[in-house]
Amino acid sequence: MRFAPSPSGDLHVGNIRTALYDWAYARHTGGTFVFRIEDTDRIRVTDEYIAAAVDTLRWLGLDWDEGPEKGGEHGPYLQSQRMDIYAGWARRFLDDGHAYSCYCTPEELESRREQARSEGRAPGYDGHCRALSPEQVAAYVAEGRRPVVRFRMPEGSTTFADSIRGEVTFDHAFVPDFVLVRADGYPLYTLAVAVDDILMKITDVLRGEDLLSSTPRQIAVYRAMGVADEDFPRFGHLPFVMGTDNVKLSKRNGEVSVAWYRHHGFLPEAVCNYLALLGWSPGEDRELFSLEEMAEAFTLERVNRNPARFDMKKLEAINGDKIRALPAADFVERILPFLATAGLVSNPVTAEERGLVEGGAPLVQERSSRLTEAVEMLGFLLVDEEHFTVEEEAAARALTPEQRPVLAAAREALAGLGEWTTSAVEAALRAALVEGLGLKPKHAFSPVRVAITGRRVSPPLFESIELLGRERSLSRLDDGLAVASGG
RNA sequence: GCCCUCAUCGUCUAGAGGCCCAGGACUCCGCCCUUUCAAGGCGGCAGCACGGGUUCGAAUCCCGUUGGGGGCACCA
């Protein structure tokens, strides 16, 4: 089990789905979950990147047994810190003939690729430098060419049992010799993964299907290292997560950054739950579960082989379910950071603010499919009175001259109220507006709602009025009246 | 072009020869509940890509076709 992202930006949805399956498989089987950072294409990854990746994984609730910040007996877990290990193996392959120096320039390769393509031949490396004579080598060196180290793919074919797809075979005729070390001396992924898998004693690899056809190359390197077949890791290739346009999910066709979902009010348990469903199912029509339940039920046999489309609507539905399932106190803790970001509570939160939040939270919890919606709905309650505003469209619809009598009657009824409770508020408003003015409840409460909350959609009105308190409520009705009067 | 791979409602999926004239969820549409919006309840639209086999019997097995995806880098 291993999860090895390469640091090309934020951890994205596809990475995380892979990590999740790796994690669940490791936990289910009691194995070791190794988190390795594949950064051979960089001098070194920034500490910020590692910190962000670690942070995202931890936020989701995934923990690893070996890797960054955790250590382990097969470290270091950053490939950029293992360069001399790879260099050692490259030298050895050169010496024993598993690899050779290739002096072809990128331009030459490109033009020969083009030619092969136009002639309908396979565009891979043509073996040009496989058997150079000492004279040819000397000539290239004299030209100042710097060689790459290229792996000599043996004849034959490779068959391996993919743990998700079953037996897969590749004829080596279609697996061209590939580069292990660049001309500047930097090792490539092709070398590093294979070496690390063996050195880190990886038993199972779950990765994207884009790597399916590079598996025979990896296996060939294991063989060259002298590793016995039974010590090779098992490979499982997961289908991609696609966007709705059926193209691999990316920045172009959707939100891919897990950090984005985090900042837009998605719960980690919802993200995990939804991602788990993209290619796996516990069966029996079950689709809501915790990470622990997933680990319990996760088997490779139940992983789907076909790619799944990412559906934001479904994610939101699950997020809403998870939000509703939160204990009330937990929900408060989850929205507090968002309220602070929105400037609706101080940081740290004061006792008074917390009181209001705790009062309002139960009203919005079941109405939110994202935490950010809860924040929007609670705004009227937490905003400083001088910053309170009524949405333009709501005012235009509900705070009109015709509604003046309604607002006035509501104000009067509430002003005379002795006990300021939800039920008292409701009774007073019903008596004044529904019975008194003969209005349908729907129409009676709409202007009041807009005056009190500033929006046409809000938490339940009577509870909101109770929480707002007498003074603030009456003052907002006064302001609403002024607006309705054309103020 | 060649190689690999995949194929159940619009989407995610259950289904591992008869339990399926295909079940659940999301979306969408009605209705109920209702102070708005949600939630909840009830109901509805909608699918086994196609063609051949195998079998008493196929969504499930085999072959082909079509379609999708991936790969063929001094990326990973």
Side-chain angles (χ1 to χ4, degrees):
Chain A
M1 315 76 188
R2 69 143 215 240
F3 168 58
S6 36
S8 51
D10 263 346
L11 250 27
H12 60 80
V13 166
N15 285 150
I16 291 302
R17 205 266 313 250
T18 303
L20 182 62
Y21 284 22
D22 269 310
W23 176 89
Y25 182 60
R27 292 292 167 260
H28 181 82
T29 56
T32 303
F33 181 34
V34 178
F35 172 24
R36 178 172 82 211
I37 294 189
E38 293 183 342
D39 57 343
T40 53
D41 61 336
R42 235 141 279 227
I43 318 281
R44 81 167 0 134
V45 284
T46 63
D47 292 344
E48 295 92 276
Y49 169 78
I50 297 170
V54 163
D55 188 42
T56 295
L57 253 18
R58 289 212 200 289
W59 175 71
L60 288 165
L62 303 181
D63 56 325
W64 50 97
D65 306 301
E66 294 180 25
E69 294 199 349
K70 180 91 183 186
E73 51 183 316
H74 308 298
Y77 294 91
L78 264 64
Q79 290 186 328
S80 55
Q81 294 174 5
R82 303 169 62 82
M83 293 303 186
D84 35 341
I85 299 176
Y86 311 134
W89 280 101
R91 222 171 300 120
R92 199 168 137 181
F93 290 154
L94 240 21
D95 289 345
D96 65 18
H98 283 299
Y100 55 92
S101 291
C102 168
Y103 293 86
C104 298
T105 64
E107 296 71 31
E108 289 168 347
L109 293 172
E110 181 54 35
S111 86
R112 296 213 300 270
R113 246 196 305 275
E114 270 316 302
Q115 174 144 16
R117 244 188 261 275
S118 68
E119 290 170 10
R121 301 196 327 268
Y125 187 67
D126 55 9
H128 179 88
C129 297
R130 260 193 164 210
L132 255 24
S133 67
E135 293 73 31
Q136 288 171 302
V137 170
Y140 281 140
V141 170
E143 274 182 52
R145 295 196 186 203
R146 308 249 321 225
V148 300
V149 178
R150 200 178 275 280
F151 190 81
R152 189 189 307 275
M153 199 66 195
E155 302 272 293
S157 69
T158 296
T159 297
F160 61 95
D162 190 286
S163 51
I164 292 172
R165 289 155 199 271
E167 202 167 88
V168 180
T169 299
F170 285 90
D171 188 324
H172 291 2
F174 305 109
V175 185
D177 291 352
F178 53 96
V179 175
L180 296 173
V181 182
R182 309 201 309 194
D184 63 11
Y186 275 97
L188 254 22
Y189 163 85
T190 48
L191 208 212
V193 255
V195 168
D196 285 348
D197 284 344
I198 298 306
L199 263 34
M200 293 182 181
K201 304 220 185 309
I202 301 297
T203 59
D204 291 85
V205 175
L206 250 33
R207 42 155 40 164
E209 65 169 320
D210 51 333
L211 263 9
L212 183 59
S213 53
S214 87
T215 305
R217 302 190 302 195
Q218 210 161 320
I219 287 174
V221 178
Y222 298 153
R223 293 221 164 90
M225 290 173 76
V227 177
D229 286 26
E230 59 267 27
D231 294 327
F232 295 173
R234 277 183 296 275
F235 290 91
H237 292 91
L238 302 170
F240 285 132
V241 176
M242 317 293 270
T244 45
D245 55 358
N246 207 33
V247 173
K248 187 177 171 183
L249 191 67
S250 70
K251 290 179 199 69
R252 303 174 60 91
N253 61 4
E255 285 299 339
V256 287
S257 160
V258 173
W260 184 92
Y261 291 94
R262 181 180 183 176
H263 293 133
H264 285 78
F266 288 89
L267 263 31
E269 47 269 63
V271 172
C272 287
N273 194 147
Y274 177 65
L275 255 25
L277 254 16
L278 252 30
W280 176 80
S281 144
E284 294 173 350
D285 295 339
R286 198 152 129 69
E287 57 175 23
L288 256 26
F289 43 79
S290 66
L291 269 181
E292 290 64 38
E293 290 166 332
M294 180 190 179
E296 169 96 17
F298 190 84
T299 59
L300 261 19
E301 293 73 54
R302 296 198 63 90
V303 174
N304 270 100
R305 289 184 288 271
N306 50 322
R309 251 79 27 193
F310 187 90
D311 181 6
M312 183 74 89
K313 287 270 182 45
K314 177 94 175 184
L315 206 210
E316 284 185 340
I318 288 177
N319 203 46
D321 283 330
K322 297 286 186 186
I323 286 177
R324 266 171 254 121
L326 248 26
D330 195 354
F331 177 68
V332 169
E333 293 311 315
R334 307 265 193 148
I335 58 176
L336 242 21
F338 287 90
L339 291 169
T341 302
L344 290 167
V345 300
S346 0
N347 193 6
V349 64
T350 67
E352 188 189 353
E353 288 166 341
R354 181 178 279 277
L356 282 175
V357 174
E358 284 173 353
L363 268 30
V364 299
Q365 181 169 1
E366 68 169 14
R367 296 182 155 69
S368 308
S369 58
R370 282 145 78 142
L371 294 175
T372 46
E373 291 174 43
V375 171
E376 288 167 24
M377 285 190 279
L378 251 19
F380 83 95
L381 185 61
L382 298 164
V383 69
D384 291 332
E385 212 53 33
E386 58 270 25
H387 292 137
F388 174 76
T389 55
V390 176
E391 286 180 358
E392 213 168 294
E393 195 256 340
R397 294 277 307 247
L399 301 183
T400 59
E402 305 82 74
Q403 303 298 345
R404 240 168 29 203
V406 180
L407 292 166
R411 208 233 111 105
E412 194 187 16
L414 291 179
L417 207 57
E419 183 193 19
W420 195 264
T421 62
T422 296
S423 53
V425 167
E426 175 167 8
L429 288 178
R430 280 191 192 280
L433 308 182
V434 180
E435 281 139 49
L437 297 179
L439 294 169
K440 289 230 187 286
K442 190 173 182 169
H443 299 115
F445 302 128
S446 181
V448 180
R449 180 185 308 283
V450 170
I452 293 289
T453 67
R455 305 167 41 141
R456 300 183 67 212
V457 173
S458 80
L461 183 58
F462 313 125
E463 285 85 345
S464 298
I465 292 176
E466 181 193 333
L467 286 170
L468 238 203
R470 183 191 304 268
E471 194 188 332
R472 297 174 82 192
S473 298
L474 293 180
S475 138
R476 288 193 191 178
L477 285 171
D478 286 336
D479 292 348
L481 217 32
V483 174
S485 305

